[in-house]
Amino acid sequence: MATNGEESGPRKSTSNGRSSAVDSALGALSIDDESMVVPIATHGDLVLQVEHEIAGSSAHASFRVSASALKQSSRYFERLLQSGRFGEGVRVEALHRTLKEQYRSMDKVPVGELPVIKVQDVGRTSAIKSLTSLCADLLHILHGQDIQTNPLVANLANLSIVADRFDALHFVGAHVARKKFLRTIDGKTTAKAEVALSEEKVRQRLLVAVMLDHRPWIERYSARLIIKGWVGREADLSTPLWWDLPSRIEEELAYRRECVLETIQSIQSYFLGLYTSRERRCKLGYDSSAQCDSYQLGEMIRFFIRNGTLKLQGGVIENDEPSEQFTGDATVLLESLRHVPEYQIDRHHSHCGIRTQILPLLDLLGECLLRVGICGDCWTDSRAQYAWMDAKRPLLWTRQAFSLRGQGHANHHADLRAMYTATDRDWGQ
């Protein structure tokens, strides 16, 4: 980033009344350029030129702004324009002194004679229709002004990305909270529309929530991404930022999704282990109980294979590719396991199968699944202690020691994490 040109040579009068020092330092704007400068601050003392690549083509926008307002609301501009720290700040300060000598007040300086700061790239936004509108919304907020209308979620997501680029999320977040934009969006979103949200729209909401610190949305939409399986893909830097969520959110979501699937699968493994062990499960008849156990094991294996949750593979030689991870809705996966029939080897053997045993476990997992999202408070305030991906995995989790009720906030999260991340799980009573 740089201003247009360098200050050099003695100050001499020019034909239009400006000094050659100003012309040399600024590279005067043409009349056409001047007419395209958007006045954010009518009497601003700086021109901000923004360039951004959109879909392979370059877009440009220019704004008359207040340097002091930018420095107060953006850490990026505070550092950039700080006197004596970077060349831009030194040159802008020198040019302001020169212009004040000529005009006495910066309010009187024509836009074409103001210092110009150029900024390239506003971040990983989507293919926006108007760079001018997007940057104008941000600059209006940074100058303490209201924007014209309540923005859509996609616009807020792009606005957050640009605010992050200029290290002004704290200021924009405070403005969005004060204007209650997100509460308004919630109020206008019906239950039917909420269910129908696409992955991209959910990701946009989560990005806004993370960047602008709207914690209710963090838990709600992170859970949605985990449950739906909308995580775990390779990052593509050419896509908008919501497809590669920052602050390690993307990694945490992918890890939680993997833990959820592993936990569901552990229930299946638990029952297979019970019925392949030497311990007799059926107690209803001395002569027939062994046959009942074998029958139940066979029917159980057949159900899991037909359900797509089990694959038999020979152990003599490795000749198959690893199975692909389930990519669908975790609630649908749980529901499919509920369809296991109550198999009976004969009329004397009722409730010998796994149906009556597995349904309470599926109920428990269904309730736990509602709590799998990232808690915004804990993620923001105590991430090191809260994040799943950084936690040491327990060697064994037991159902007997687990309860969803009567727990403090932190202990509730810790117990839930232990269940999902354990190396081994005992689902017995």
Side-chain angles (χ1 to χ4, degrees), residues 155-203:
N155 295 340
L156 277 175
N158 281 322
L159 183 65
S160 299
I161 292 169
V162 182
D164 184 50
R165 168 72 173 85
F166 296 122
D167 203 353
L169 284 173
H170 62 295
F171 202 88
V172 174
H175 177 86
V176 170
R178 186 170 62 254
K179 302 300 291 184
K180 300 180 180 179
F181 288 152
L182 304 186
R183 289 179 59 182
T184 300
I185 291 171
D186 272 337
K188 293 181 177 179
T189 305
T190 64
K192 183 177 180 180
E194 177 78 14
V195 171
L197 288 175
S198 66
E199 178 183 357
E200 182 166 27
K201 292 185 181 299
V202 170
R203 283 180 164 275

Side-chain angles (χ1 to χ4, degrees), residues 243-272:
W243 292 107
D244 180 23
L245 294 161
S247 303
R248 301 190 72 197
I249 290 285
E250 194 72 46
E251 294 91 332
E252 180 76 7
L253 294 177
Y255 183 71
R256 292 194 182 207
R257 167 71 177 184
E258 184 178 335
C259 291
V260 166
L261 295 182
E262 185 180 301
T263 303
I264 295 174
Q265 182 169 270
S266 72
I267 291 182
Q268 176 178 279
S269 300
Y270 169 74
F271 285 108
L272 289 171

Side-chain angles (χ1 to χ4, degrees), residues 59-70:
H60 305 264
S62 298
F63 308 89
R64 183 167 186 167
V65 295
S66 165
S68 62
L70 292 184

Side-chain angles (χ1 to χ4, degrees), residues 72-136:
Q72 290 174 6
S73 56
S74 162
R75 296 187 185 99
Y76 172 91
F77 287 112
E78 179 186 15
R79 292 188 293 267
L80 181 68
L81 298 174
Q82 183 178 344
S83 176
R85 183 165 185 175
F86 293 107
E88 286 86 349
V90 173
R91 286 191 289 269
V92 167
E93 186 177 35
L95 291 168
H96 280 169
R97 286 197 301 267
T98 301
L99 290 169
K100 286 177 181 177
E101 290 176 4
Q102 181 176 355
Y103 290 97
R104 303 304 176 189
S105 172
M106 294 301 295
D107 296 353
K108 307 297 183 182
V109 181
V111 66
E113 298 184 34
L114 292 173
V116 177
I117 292 291
K118 287 187 177 180
V119 175
Q120 294 181 334
D121 182 26
V122 297
R124 288 173 56 186
T125 66
S126 61
I128 50 181
K129 295 180 179 179
S130 171
L131 178 66
T132 300
S133 298
L134 174 61
C135 292

